[in-house]
Coordinates of all heavy atoms in Angstrom, one line a residue:
M1 N 252.0 75.6 262.2 CA 252.5 76.9 261.9 C 254.0 77.1 262.4 O 254.4 76.5 263.4 CB 251.7 78.0 262.6 CG 252.2 79.4 262.4 SD 251.3 80.6 263.4 CE 249.8 80.7 262.4
H2 N 254.7 77.8 261.6 CA 256.1 78.2 262.0 C 256.1 79.7 262.3 O 255.6 80.5 261.5 CB 257.1 77.9 260.8 CG 257.1 76.5 260.4 ND1 257.7 75.5 261.1 CD2 256.5 75.9 259.3 CE1 257.5 74.3 260.5 NE2 256.8 74.5 259.4
I3 N 256.7 80.0 263.4 CA 256.8 81.4 263.8 C 258.3 81.8 263.6 O 259.2 81.2 264.3 CB 256.4 81.6 265.3 CG1 255.0 81.2 265.6 CG2 256.6 83.1 265.7 CD1 254.7 81.1 267.1
V4 N 258.5 82.7 262.7 CA 259.9 83.1 262.4 C 260.0 84.6 263.0 O 259.2 85.4 262.7 CB 260.2 83.1 260.9 CG1 261.6 83.6 260.6 CG2 260.0 81.8 260.3
Y5 N 261.1 84.8 263.7 CA 261.3 86.2 264.2 C 262.7 86.6 264.3 O 263.6 85.8 264.4 CB 260.6 86.3 265.6 CG 261.2 85.3 266.7 CD1 262.4 85.6 267.4 CD2 260.6 84.1 266.9 CE1 262.9 84.8 268.3 CE2 261.1 83.2 267.8 CZ 262.2 83.6 268.5 OH 262.7 82.7 269.4
F6 N 262.9 87.9 264.1 CA 264.2 88.6 264.3 C 263.9 89.5 265.4 O 263.1 90.5 265.3 CB 264.6 89.3 263.0 CG 265.9 90.0 263.1 CD1 267.1 89.4 262.9 CD2 265.9 91.4 263.5 CE1 268.3 90.1 263.0 CE2 267.1 92.1 263.6 CZ 268.3 91.4 263.4
S7 N 264.6 89.4 266.6 CA 264.2 90.1 267.8 C 265.4 90.4 268.7 O 265.7 89.7 269.7 CB 263.1 89.3 268.5 OG 262.7 90.1 269.6
P8 N 266.2 91.4 268.4 CA 267.4 91.7 269.2 C 267.1 92.0 270.7 O 268.0 91.6 271.5 CB 268.0 92.9 268.5 CG 267.6 92.9 267.1 CD 266.2 92.3 267.2
T9 N 266.0 92.6 271.0 CA 265.8 92.9 272.4 C 264.5 92.2 273.0 O 264.1 92.5 274.1 CB 265.7 94.4 272.7 OG1 264.7 95.0 271.9 CG2 267.0 95.1 272.4
G10 N 264.0 91.3 272.2 CA 263.0 90.4 272.7 C 261.5 90.8 272.5 O 260.6 90.0 272.7
G11 N 261.3 92.1 272.2 CA 259.9 92.5 272.0 C 259.1 91.9 270.9 O 258.0 91.5 271.0
T12 N 259.8 91.7 269.8 CA 259.2 91.1 268.6 C 258.9 89.6 268.9 O 257.9 89.1 268.5 CB 260.1 91.3 267.4 OG1 260.4 92.7 267.2 CG2 259.5 90.7 266.1
R13 N 259.8 89.0 269.5 CA 259.6 87.6 269.9 C 258.3 87.4 270.7 O 257.5 86.6 270.5 CB 260.8 87.0 270.6 CG 260.6 85.5 271.0 CD 261.6 84.9 271.9 NE 261.2 83.6 272.3 CZ 260.4 83.2 273.2 NH1 259.8 84.2 273.9 NH2 260.1 82.0 273.5
K14 N 258.2 88.3 271.7 CA 257.1 88.2 272.6 C 255.7 88.4 271.8 O 254.8 87.7 272.0 CB 257.2 89.3 273.7 CG 256.2 89.2 274.8 CD 256.6 90.3 275.9 CE 255.5 90.3 276.9 NZ 255.6 91.4 277.9
A15 N 255.7 89.4 271.0 CA 254.5 89.7 270.2 C 254.2 88.5 269.3 O 253.0 88.1 269.1 CB 254.7 91.0 269.4
A16 N 255.2 88.0 268.6 CA 255.0 86.9 267.7 C 254.5 85.7 268.4 O 253.6 84.9 267.9 CB 256.4 86.6 267.0
Y17 N 255.1 85.4 269.6 CA 254.7 84.2 270.3 C 253.2 84.3 270.8 O 252.4 83.4 270.6 CB 255.6 84.1 271.6 CG 255.5 82.9 272.4 CD1 256.2 81.8 272.0 CD2 254.6 82.8 273.5 CE1 256.1 80.6 272.8 CE2 254.5 81.7 274.2 CZ 255.2 80.5 273.9 OH 255.1 79.4 274.6
I18 N 252.8 85.5 271.2 CA 251.4 85.7 271.7 C 250.4 85.5 270.5 O 249.4 84.8 270.6 CB 251.2 87.1 272.3 CG1 251.9 87.2 273.6 CG2 249.7 87.5 272.4 CD1 252.0 88.7 274.1
I19 N 250.7 86.1 269.3 CA 249.8 85.9 268.2 C 249.9 84.5 267.6 O 248.8 83.9 267.4 CB 250.3 86.9 267.1 CG1 250.1 88.4 267.5 CG2 249.4 86.7 265.8 CD1 250.8 89.4 266.6
G20 N 251.1 84.0 267.5 CA 251.2 82.7 266.8 C 250.7 81.5 267.7 O 250.0 80.6 267.1
K21 N 250.9 81.5 269.0 CA 250.4 80.4 269.8 C 248.9 80.5 270.0 O 248.3 79.5 270.3 CB 251.2 80.5 271.2 CG 252.6 80.1 271.1 CD 252.8 78.6 270.8 CE 254.3 78.3 270.9 NZ 254.6 76.8 270.7
E22 N 248.3 81.7 269.8 CA 246.9 81.8 269.9 C 246.3 81.1 268.7 O 245.2 80.5 268.8 CB 246.5 83.3 269.9 CG 245.0 83.6 270.2 CD 244.6 83.1 271.6 OE1 245.3 83.2 272.5 OE2 243.4 82.7 271.7
I23 N 246.9 81.3 267.5 CA 246.4 80.7 266.3 C 246.7 79.2 266.3 O 245.8 78.4 265.9 CB 247.1 81.4 265.1 CG1 246.7 82.8 265.0 CG2 246.6 80.6 263.8 CD1 247.5 83.6 264.0
D24 N 247.9 78.8 266.7 CA 248.3 77.4 266.7 C 249.2 77.1 267.9 O 250.4 77.4 267.9 CB 249.0 77.0 265.4 CG 249.5 75.6 265.4 OD1 249.2 74.8 266.3 OD2 250.3 75.3 264.4
P25 N 248.6 76.5 268.9 CA 249.4 76.2 270.1 C 250.6 75.3 269.9 O 251.5 75.2 270.7 CB 248.4 75.5 271.1 CG 247.0 75.9 270.6 CD 247.2 76.1 269.1
Q26 N 250.5 74.5 268.8 CA 251.6 73.6 268.4 C 252.7 74.3 267.6 O 253.7 73.6 267.1 CB 251.1 72.4 267.6 CG 249.9 71.7 268.2 CD 250.2 71.1 269.6 OE1 251.3 70.7 269.9 NE2 249.1 71.2 270.4
A27 N 252.6 75.6 267.4 CA 253.5 76.3 266.4 C 255.0 76.1 266.9 O 255.3 76.1 268.1 CB 253.2 77.8 266.4
T28 N 255.9 76.0 265.9 CA 257.3 75.9 266.2 C 257.9 77.3 266.0 O 257.4 78.1 265.2 CB 258.0 74.9 265.3 OG1 257.8 75.3 263.9 CG2 257.4 73.5 265.4
E29 N 259.0 77.6 266.7 CA 259.7 78.9 266.6 C 261.0 78.7 265.8 O 261.7 77.8 266.0 CB 260.1 79.4 268.0 CG 258.9 79.8 268.8 CD 259.3 80.4 270.1 OE1 260.2 81.2 270.2 OE2 258.7 80.0 271.1
I30 N 261.2 79.7 264.9 CA 262.5 79.8 264.2 C 263.1 81.1 264.5 O 262.5 82.2 264.1 CB 262.3 79.6 262.7 CG1 261.7 78.2 262.4 CG2 263.6 79.7 262.0 CD1 261.2 78.0 260.9
D31 N 264.2 81.1 265.2 CA 264.9 82.4 265.6 C 266.0 82.7 264.6 O 266.9 82.0 264.5 CB 265.4 82.2 267.0 CG 266.1 83.5 267.6 OD1 266.1 84.5 266.9 OD2 266.5 83.5 268.7
I32 N 265.8 83.8 263.9 CA 266.8 84.2 262.9 C 267.6 85.4 263.4 O 268.3 86.1 262.7 CB 266.2 84.6 261.5 CG1 265.2 85.7 261.6 CG2 265.6 83.3 260.9 CD1 264.7 86.2 260.3
T33 N 267.6 85.6 264.8 CA 268.3 86.8 265.3 C 269.8 86.6 265.5 O 270.6 87.5 265.1 CB 267.8 87.1 266.7 OG1 266.3 87.1 266.7 CG2 268.3 88.5 267.2
D34 N 270.2 85.5 266.0 CA 271.6 85.3 266.5 C 272.5 84.8 265.3 O 272.3 83.7 264.9 CB 271.6 84.3 267.6 CG 272.9 84.1 268.2 OD1 273.9 84.6 267.7 OD2 273.0 83.4 269.2
H35 N 273.4 85.7 264.9 CA 274.3 85.3 263.8 C 275.2 84.2 264.1 O 275.8 83.5 263.2 CB 275.0 86.5 263.2 CG 276.2 86.9 264.1 ND1 276.1 87.6 265.2 CD2 277.5 86.6 263.9 CE1 277.3 87.8 265.8 NE2 278.2 87.2 265.0
T36 N 275.5 83.9 265.4 CA 276.4 82.8 265.8 C 275.7 81.5 265.7 O 276.4 80.4 265.7 CB 277.0 83.0 267.2 OG1 275.9 83.0 268.1 CG2 277.7 84.3 267.3
R37 N 274.4 81.5 265.7 CA 273.7 80.2 265.6 C 273.7 79.7 264.1 O 273.7 80.5 263.2 CB 272.2 80.4 265.9 CG 271.8 80.1 267.3 CD 270.3 80.0 267.4 NE 269.8 80.2 268.7 CZ 268.6 80.0 269.0 NH1 267.7 79.8 268.1 NH2 268.2 80.2 270.3
Q38 N 273.7 78.4 264.0 CA 273.6 77.9 262.6 C 272.2 78.3 262.0 O 271.2 78.1 262.7 CB 273.7 76.4 262.6 CG 273.8 75.8 261.2 CD 273.7 74.3 261.1 OE1 273.9 73.7 262.1 NE2 273.4 73.8 260.0
Q39 N 272.3 78.9 260.8 CA 271.0 79.4 260.2 C 270.6 78.3 259.2 O 271.3 78.2 258.1 CB 271.2 80.7 259.6 CG 271.5 81.8 260.6 CD 270.4 82.2 261.5 OE1 269.2 82.1 261.1 NE2 270.7 82.7 262.7
N40 N 269.6 77.5 259.5 CA 269.1 76.5 258.5 C 268.3 77.2 257.4 O 267.9 78.3 257.5 CB 268.3 75.5 259.3 CG 269.1 74.7 260.3 OD1 270.3 74.4 260.1 ND2 268.5 74.4 261.4
S41 N 268.1 76.4 256.4 CA 267.2 76.8 255.3 C 265.9 76.0 255.5 O 265.9 74.9 256.0 CB 267.8 76.5 253.9 OG 268.9 77.3 253.7
Y42 N 264.8 76.6 255.1 CA 263.5 76.0 255.2 C 262.8 76.1 253.9 O 262.8 77.1 253.2 CB 262.7 76.7 256.3 CG 263.3 76.6 257.7 CD1 264.2 77.6 258.1 CD2 263.1 75.6 258.5 CE1 264.9 77.5 259.3 CE2 263.7 75.5 259.8 CZ 264.5 76.4 260.2 OH 265.1 76.3 261.4
D43 N 262.2 75.0 253.5 CA 261.4 74.9 252.3 C 260.0 74.5 252.8 O 259.8 73.4 253.2 CB 262.0 73.8 251.4 CG 261.7 74.0 250.0 OD1 261.7 75.2 249.6 OD2 261.6 73.0 249.2
L44 N 259.0 75.4 252.6 CA 257.7 75.2 253.2 C 256.7 74.9 252.0 O 256.9 75.4 250.9 CB 257.2 76.4 254.0 CG 258.2 76.8 255.1 CD1 257.6 78.0 255.9 CD2 258.5 75.7 256.1
N45 N 255.6 74.2 252.4 CA 254.6 73.9 251.3 C 253.3 74.5 251.7 O 253.1 75.2 252.7 CB 254.6 72.4 251.1 CG 254.2 71.6 252.4 OD1 253.3 72.1 253.1 ND2 254.8 70.5 252.6
G46 N 252.3 74.1 251.0 CA 250.9 74.7 251.2 C 250.2 74.2 252.4 O 249.2 74.7 252.8
E47 N 250.8 73.1 253.0 CA 250.2 72.6 254.3 C 250.7 73.4 255.5 O 250.1 73.4 256.5 CB 250.6 71.1 254.5 CG 250.3 70.2 253.3 CD 248.8 70.1 253.2 OE1 248.1 69.8 254.2 OE2 248.3 70.3 252.1
D48 N 251.8 74.1 255.3 CA 252.4 74.9 256.4 C 251.7 76.3 256.4 O 251.2 76.8 255.4 CB 253.9 75.2 256.1 CG 254.7 73.9 256.2 OD1 254.4 73.1 257.1 OD2 255.6 73.7 255.3
T49 N 251.8 77.0 257.5 CA 251.5 78.4 257.6 C 252.7 79.1 258.3 O 253.4 78.5 259.2 CB 250.3 78.7 258.5 OG1 249.2 77.9 258.0 CG2 249.9 80.1 258.5
L50 N 253.1 80.3 257.8 CA 254.2 81.0 258.3 C 253.8 82.3 258.9 O 253.0 83.0 258.3 CB 255.2 81.2 257.1 CG 256.5 81.9 257.4 CD1 257.4 81.0 258.3 CD2 257.2 82.3 256.1
L51 N 254.3 82.5 260.1 CA 254.1 83.9 260.7 C 255.5 84.5 260.8 O 256.4 83.9 261.4 CB 253.5 83.8 262.1 CG 253.1 85.1 262.7 CD1 251.9 85.0 263.6 CD2 254.3 85.7 263.5
V52 N 255.7 85.6 260.1 CA 257.0 86.3 260.1 C 256.9 87.6 261.0 O 256.0 88.4 260.7 CB 257.5 86.7 258.7 CG1 258.8 87.4 258.7 CG2 257.6 85.4 257.8
A53 N 257.8 87.7 262.0 CA 257.7 88.9 262.8 C 259.1 89.6 262.8 O 260.1 88.9 263.1 CB 257.2 88.6 264.2
V54 N 259.1 90.9 262.5 CA 260.4 91.6 262.5 C 260.1 93.0 263.2 O 259.0 93.5 263.2 CB 260.9 91.9 261.1 CG1 261.4 90.5 260.5 CG2 259.9 92.5 260.2
P55 N 261.2 93.6 263.8 CA 261.0 95.0 264.3 C 261.1 96.0 263.2 O 261.7 95.7 262.2 CB 262.2 95.1 265.3 CG 263.2 94.2 264.8 CD 262.5 93.1 264.0
V56 N 260.7 97.2 263.5 CA 260.8 98.3 262.6 C 262.0 99.2 263.1 O 262.0 99.6 264.2 CB 259.5 99.2 262.6 CG1 259.7 100.5 261.7 CG2 258.3 98.4 262.2
Y57 N 263.0 99.4 262.2 CA 264.1 100.2 262.5 C 264.1 101.3 261.4 O 264.3 101.0 260.2 CB 265.4 99.4 262.4 CG 265.8 98.5 263.5 CD1 264.9 98.4 264.6 CD2 267.0 97.8 263.5 CE1 265.3 97.5 265.7 CE2 267.3 97.0 264.6 CZ 266.4 96.8 265.7 OH 266.8 96.0 266.7
G58 N 264.0 102.6 261.8 CA 264.0 103.7 260.9 C 262.9 103.5 259.8 O 263.1 103.9 258.7
G59 N 261.8 103.0 260.2 CA 260.7 102.9 259.3 C 260.8 101.7 258.3 O 260.0 101.6 257.4
R60 N 261.8 100.9 258.5 CA 262.1 99.8 257.6 C 262.3 98.5 258.3 O 262.5 98.5 259.5 CB 263.4 100.0 256.7 CG 263.4 101.3 255.9 CD 262.6 101.1 254.6 NE 262.8 102.2 253.7 CZ 262.2 103.4 253.7 NH1 261.4 103.6 254.7 NH2 262.5 104.3 252.8
V61 N 262.3 97.4 257.6 CA 262.7 96.1 258.2 C 264.3 96.1 258.1 O 264.8 96.4 257.1 CB 262.2 94.9 257.3 CG1 262.7 93.6 257.9 CG2 260.6 95.0 257.3
P62 N 264.9 95.8 259.2 CA 266.4 95.7 259.2 C 266.9 94.8 258.1 O 266.4 93.7 257.9 CB 266.8 95.1 260.6 CG 265.5 95.3 261.4 CD 264.4 95.4 260.5
S63 N 267.9 95.3 257.3 CA 268.4 94.6 256.1 C 268.9 93.2 256.5 O 268.7 92.2 255.8 CB 269.4 95.4 255.4 OG 270.5 95.6 256.2
V64 N 269.5 93.1 257.7 CA 270.0 91.8 258.1 C 268.9 90.8 258.3 O 269.0 89.6 258.0 CB 270.9 91.9 259.4 CG1 270.0 92.3 260.6 CG2 271.6 90.6 259.7
A65 N 267.7 91.2 258.7 CA 266.5 90.3 258.8 C 266.1 89.9 257.5 O 265.7 88.7 257.3 CB 265.4 91.0 259.6
I66 N 266.1 90.8 256.5 CA 265.6 90.5 255.2 C 266.6 89.4 254.6 O 266.1 88.4 254.0 CB 265.6 91.8 254.3 CG1 264.5 92.7 254.7 CG2 265.4 91.4 252.8 CD1 264.5 94.0 254.0
D67 N 267.9 89.6 254.8 CA 268.8 88.6 254.3 C 268.6 87.2 254.8 O 268.6 86.2 254.1 CB 270.3 89.0 254.6 CG 270.8 90.2 253.8 OD1 270.1 90.5 252.7 OD2 271.7 90.8 254.2
R68 N 268.3 87.2 256.1 CA 268.1 85.9 256.8 C 266.8 85.3 256.4 O 266.6 84.0 256.3 CB 268.2 86.0 258.3 CG 269.7 86.3 258.6 CD 269.9 86.4 260.1 NE 271.2 87.1 260.3 CZ 271.6 87.6 261.4 NH1 270.9 87.5 262.5 NH2 272.8 88.2 261.5
L69 N 265.8 86.1 256.1 CA 264.5 85.6 255.7 C 264.6 84.9 254.3 O 263.7 84.1 253.9 CB 263.4 86.7 255.6 CG 262.9 87.2 256.9 CD1 262.0 88.4 256.8 CD2 262.1 86.1 257.6
K70 N 265.6 85.3 253.5 CA 265.8 84.6 252.2 C 266.1 83.1 252.3 O 266.1 82.4 251.3 CB 266.9 85.4 251.4 CG 266.4 86.8 251.0 CD 267.5 87.5 250.3 CE 266.9 88.9 249.9 NZ 268.0 89.9 249.5
R71 N 266.4 82.7 253.5 CA 266.7 81.2 253.7 C 265.3 80.4 253.7 O 265.4 79.2 253.8 CB 267.4 81.0 255.0 CG 268.8 81.5 254.9 CD 269.5 81.3 256.3 NE 270.9 81.7 256.2 CZ 271.9 81.0 255.8 NH1 271.7 79.7 255.4 NH2 273.1 81.4 255.8
I72 N 264.2 81.2 253.8 CA 262.9 80.5 253.9 C 262.2 80.6 252.6 O 262.0 81.7 252.1 CB 262.1 81.1 255.0 CG1 262.9 81.0 256.3 CG2 260.7 80.4 255.1 CD1 262.3 81.8 257.4
T73 N 261.9 79.5 252.0 CA 261.2 79.5 250.7 C 259.8 78.9 250.9 O 259.6 77.8 251.5 CB 261.9 78.6 249.7 OG1 263.3 79.1 249.6 CG2 261.3 78.7 248.3
G74 N 258.8 79.6 250.4 CA 257.4 79.1 250.5 C 256.9 78.6 249.1 O 257.3 79.2 248.1
H75 N 256.1 77.6 249.2 CA 255.4 77.2 247.9 C 253.9 77.2 248.2 O 253.4 76.3 248.9 CB 255.8 75.8 247.5 CG 257.3 75.7 247.3 ND1 257.9 76.1 246.1 CD2 258.3 75.3 248.2 CE1 259.3 75.9 246.3 NE2 259.5 75.5 247.5
N76 N 253.2 78.2 247.8 CA 251.8 78.4 248.2 C 251.5 78.3 249.7 O 250.5 77.8 250.1 CB 250.9 77.4 247.4 CG 251.0 77.5 245.9 OD1 250.9 78.6 245.4 ND2 251.1 76.4 245.2
T77 N 252.5 78.9 250.4 CA 252.4 78.8 251.9 C 251.7 80.1 252.4 O 252.2 81.2 252.1 CB 253.8 78.8 252.5 OG1 254.5 77.7 251.9 CG2 253.8 78.6 254.0
P78 N 250.6 80.0 253.1 CA 250.0 81.2 253.6 C 250.9 81.9 254.6 O 251.6 81.2 255.4 CB 248.7 80.7 254.3 CG 248.5 79.3 253.9 CD 249.8 78.8 253.4
A79 N 251.0 83.2 254.6 CA 251.9 83.9 255.4 C 251.2 85.1 256.2 O 250.4 85.8 255.6 CB 253.1 84.5 254.6
I80 N 251.6 85.2 257.4 CA 251.1 86.3 258.3 C 252.3 87.2 258.6 O 253.3 86.7 259.0 CB 250.5 85.8 259.6 CG1 249.3 84.8 259.2 CG2 250.0 86.9 260.5 CD1 248.9 84.0 260.4
L81 N 252.2 88.5 258.3 CA 253.3 89.4 258.5 C 253.0 90.3 259.7 O 252.0 90.9 259.7 CB 253.5 90.2 257.2 CG 253.7 89.4 255.9 CD1 253.9 90.4 254.7 CD2 254.8 88.4 256.0
V82 N 254.0 90.4 260.6 CA 253.9 91.2 261.8 C 255.1 92.1 261.9 O 256.2 91.6 261.8 CB 253.8 90.3 263.0 CG1 253.8 91.2 264.3 CG2 252.6 89.4 263.0
V83 N 254.9 93.4 262.0 CA 256.0 94.3 262.3 C 255.7 95.0 263.7 O 254.6 95.4 264.0 CB 256.2 95.4 261.2 CG1 256.6 94.8 259.9 CG2 255.0 96.3 261.0
V84 N 256.8 95.0 264.5 CA 256.6 95.5 265.8 C 257.4 96.8 265.9 O 258.6 96.8 265.5 CB 257.2 94.4 266.8 CG1 257.1 95.0 268.3 CG2 256.4 93.1 266.7
Y85 N 256.8 97.8 266.4 CA 257.5 99.1 266.4 C 257.3 99.8 267.7 O 256.5 99.4 268.6 CB 257.0 100.0 265.2 CG 255.5 100.3 265.3 CD1 255.1 101.6 265.5 CD2 254.5 99.4 265.0 CE1 253.7 102.0 265.5 CE2 253.2 99.7 265.1 CZ 252.8 101.0 265.3 OH 251.5 101.3 265.3
G86 N 258.0 100.9 267.9 CA 258.0 101.6 269.2 C 257.1 102.8 269.3 O 257.3 103.7 270.0
N87 N 256.0 102.7 268.6 CA 254.9 103.7 268.7 C 255.3 105.0 268.1 O 254.6 106.0 268.4 CB 254.4 103.9 270.1 CG 252.9 103.9 270.2 OD1 252.2 103.4 269.3 ND2 252.4 104.4 271.3
R88 N 256.3 105.1 267.3 CA 256.5 106.3 266.4 C 255.7 106.0 265.2 O 254.7 106.6 265.0 CB 258.0 106.5 266.1 CG 258.3 107.8 265.4 CD 259.7 107.8 264.8 NE 259.9 106.9 263.8 CZ 259.5 107.0 262.5 NH1 258.8 108.0 262.1 NH2 259.8 106.0 261.6
D89 N 256.2 105.1 264.3 CA 255.5 104.8 263.1 C 256.1 103.5 262.5 O 257.3 103.3 262.6 CB 255.6 105.9 262.1 CG 254.4 105.9 261.0 OD1 254.0 104.8 260.7 OD2 254.0 107.0 260.7
Y90 N 255.3 102.7 261.8 CA 255.9 101.6 261.1 C 256.2 101.9 259.6 O 256.8 101.1 258.9 CB 255.1 100.3 261.2 CG 253.6 100.4 260.7 CD1 253.3 100.2 259.4 CD2 252.6 100.7 261.6 CE1 252.0 100.3 258.9 CE2 251.3 100.8 261.1 CZ 251.0 100.6 259.8 OH 249.7 100.7 259.4
D91 N 255.9 103.1 259.2 CA 256.2 103.6 257.9 C 256.1 102.6 256.8 O 255.0 102.1 256.6 CB 257.6 104.2 257.9 CG 257.7 105.5 258.7 OD1 256.9 106.4 258.6 OD2 258.6 105.5 259.6
D92 N 257.2 102.2 256.1 CA 257.2 101.3 254.9 C 257.4 99.8 255.3 O 257.6 99.0 254.4 CB 258.2 101.7 253.9 CG 257.9 103.1 253.3 OD1 256.8 103.5 253.3 OD2 258.9 103.7 252.8
A93 N 257.4 99.5 256.6 CA 257.9 98.2 257.0 C 257.0 97.1 256.4 O 257.6 96.0 256.2 CB 258.0 98.1 258.5
L94 N 255.8 97.3 256.3 CA 254.9 96.2 255.8 C 254.9 96.1 254.2 O 254.4 95.1 253.7 CB 253.5 96.4 256.2 CG 253.2 95.9 257.7 CD1 251.8 96.3 258.1 CD2 253.4 94.4 257.9
L95 N 255.6 97.0 253.6 CA 255.7 96.9 252.1 C 256.6 95.7 251.7 O 256.4 95.1 250.7 CB 256.4 98.1 251.5 CG 255.5 99.4 251.5 CD1 256.3 100.6 250.9 CD2 254.2 99.2 250.8
Ligands
FMN1 C1 267.8 101.4 265.6 C2 266.3 101.4 265.9 C3 265.4 102.1 265.1 C4 264.1 102.1 265.4 N1 263.2 102.7 264.5 C5 261.9 102.8 264.9 C6 260.9 103.4 264.0 O1 261.3 103.9 262.9 N2 259.6 103.5 264.4 C7 259.2 103.0 265.6 O2 258.0 103.1 265.9 N3 260.0 102.3 266.4 C8 261.4 102.2 266.1 N4 262.2 101.6 266.9 C9 261.7 100.8 268.1 C10 261.6 99.3 267.7 O3 260.9 99.1 266.6 C11 260.9 98.6 268.9 O4 261.6 98.9 270.1 C12 260.9 97.1 268.6 O5 259.9 96.5 269.5 C13 262.2 96.4 268.9 O6 262.0 95.0 268.7 P1 262.9 93.9 269.5 O7 262.5 94.1 271.0 O8 262.4 92.6 269.0 O9 264.3 94.1 269.3 C14 263.6 101.5 266.6 C15 264.5 100.9 267.5 C16 265.9 100.8 267.1 C17 266.8 100.1 268.1

């Protein structure tokens, strides 16, 4: 499994890590938060599983996170979607 997260203050990373490592202790992490890091592209297949975790900002997924997620392409890859929010509401974030 690959755990992909966008996590400016670390809460989303923590939640993603707890969920992902419980499912697959060998899971690898892909951090798409830091714009100064080289952002690789990933092409995944049906043998992979992807867990994507992003925070909720204003009831939405931050647009910068959406842009960076476009570097990841799946081909029949099962995906688990996690949105982490501050207990107000996650509104449309899972759409
Ligand atoms: C600009 C901004 C907007 C936010 N909007 C929401 C929101 O609409 N609903 C909510 O429940 N929490 C909201 N939060 C809280 C974050 O979703 C929450 O703190 C999240 O865990 C932050 O993730 P991170 O620690 O990975 O950066 C917002 C936080 C920020 C900074």
Side-chain angles (χ1 to χ4, degrees):
M1 175 186 284
H2 302 282
I3 303 170
V4 179
Y5 57 85
F6 179 86
S7 185
T9 58
T12 304
R13 179 190 176 277
K14 189 174 174 189
Y17 190 86
I18 290 169
I19 297 167
K21 291 287 184 176
E22 187 66 34
I23 297 169
D24 177 7
Q26 312 298 327
T28 62
E29 293 184 42
I30 301 171
D31 183 358
I32 59 168
T33 313
D34 185 354
H35 76 282
T36 62
R37 267 197 199 181
Q38 186 189 345
Q39 299 288 333
N40 296 324
S41 295
Y42 297 89
D43 209 35
L44 306 180
N45 61 39
E47 304 294 307
D48 295 315
T49 303
L50 182 67
L51 186 150
V52 178
V54 292
V56 176
Y57 285 0
R60 301 279 191 281
V61 177
S63 59
V64 65
I66 293 173
D67 286 344
R68 292 181 195 166
L69 285 172
K70 288 177 181 164
R71 292 177 179 274
I72 301 165
T73 306
H75 303 277
N76 297 315
T77 308
I80 300 164
L81 307 180
V82 175
V83 293
V84 179
Y85 63 110
N87 226 17
R88 184 193 67 78
D89 205 325
Y90 57 87
D91 293 313
D92 295 337
L94 281 173
L95 291 178

